[in-house]
Amino acid sequence: MKKLASNHGKYMKAKPPYLRLALSLIVGLALTVVVLLNLFTHVFSVVQYYGDGMEPGLQDRQILVVLQTDQVKQGDVAAFYYNNKVLVRRIIAGGGASVEMDDRGKVKVDGAGLDEPCVQEHSPGQCNISFPYTVPYDEFFVMGDNRAIAMDSRLEEIGTIPRNRILGKVIWSFG
């Protein structure tokens, strides 16, 4: 006598195709959210710029994407922390450099004049420091592009920005 094989598992119901599609979409969406959260927590920051110290390049209430890094260099537009706020200014010089500014607002770093196409009008602006100014080690001298009204390293109250207060480099703006 032959034993009959069991077909118990053969007739299980298959999941409907729309259920598999929905499950795939949910898993894909969840993974996308996790990746984006990690990117915008550890790699990028999104900040809103307030003010007119960086005009004409940046406008009040513009949204900025910032690459989180403290590796900034002369000419970069950087976001940094100041009094529990995020400010945005251009890096003029790094630690050890000598910054000079004449009475018309023209800036020199280590004796060389800066090429500043982003600055429409040079002005000494608000300034209460003495030039030439030597930037302390591991700090940055920053200035706004709208030199007549920007509050920046030319003011003792703001001063130079230590590397550990740099949020990052602005890589994109919109709005």
Side-chain angles (χ1 to χ4, degrees), residues 3-174:
K3 210 172 186 183
L4 292 174
S6 170
N7 290 328
H8 178 67
K10 200 175 191 181
Y11 297 104
M12 288 179 57
K13 285 189 175 180
K15 291 181 184 172
Y18 64 87
L19 194 57
R20 279 185 284 172
L21 178 63
L23 187 60
S24 294
L25 287 173
I26 290 170
V27 169
L29 183 62
L31 286 173
T32 302
V33 167
V34 167
V35 167
L36 287 174
L37 282 174
N38 277 311
L39 279 175
F40 283 96
T41 301
H42 303 292
V43 180
F44 300 104
S45 290
V46 177
V47 299
Q48 188 166 21
Y49 170 73
Y50 292 98
D52 48 10
M54 289 298 291
E55 287 182 350
L58 297 178
Q59 305 298 315
D60 186 41
R61 301 186 187 276
Q62 201 163 2
I63 303 296
L64 309 176
V65 176
V66 177
L67 174 63
Q68 294 180 16
T69 180
D70 63 358
Q71 301 301 308
V72 293
K73 64 185 183 318
Q74 185 180 55
D76 288 346
V77 174
F80 57 91
Y81 297 105
Y82 174 76
N83 281 348
N84 295 321
K85 294 179 184 175
V86 175
L87 294 183
V88 177
R89 297 291 184 262
R90 188 169 302 280
I91 303 289
I92 299 300
S98 176
V99 178
E100 299 175 55
M101 186 174 67
D102 66 21
D103 58 353
R104 294 182 332 249
K106 289 286 208 173
V107 178
K108 291 183 180 180
V109 175
D110 292 333
L114 294 183
D115 178 28
E116 299 182 291
C118 50
V119 176
Q120 288 187 333
E121 184 179 331
H122 290 276
S123 167
Q126 303 177 59
C127 181
N128 61 6
I129 64 169
S130 298
F131 291 103
Y133 181 89
T134 301
V135 181
Y137 172 76
D138 223 21
E139 296 191 13
F140 299 94
F141 193 94
V142 299
M143 293 177 77
D145 290 348
N146 189 350
R147 299 287 165 79
I149 62 168
M151 296 176 67
D152 49 40
S153 293
R154 295 172 291 175
L155 294 169
E156 289 177 354
E157 298 81 15
I158 295 179
T160 53
I161 309 304
R163 184 177 301 277
N164 65 3
R165 288 194 354 225
I166 299 286
L167 173 61
K169 175 181 170 177
V170 175
I171 59 169
W172 195 53
S173 63
F174 61 95

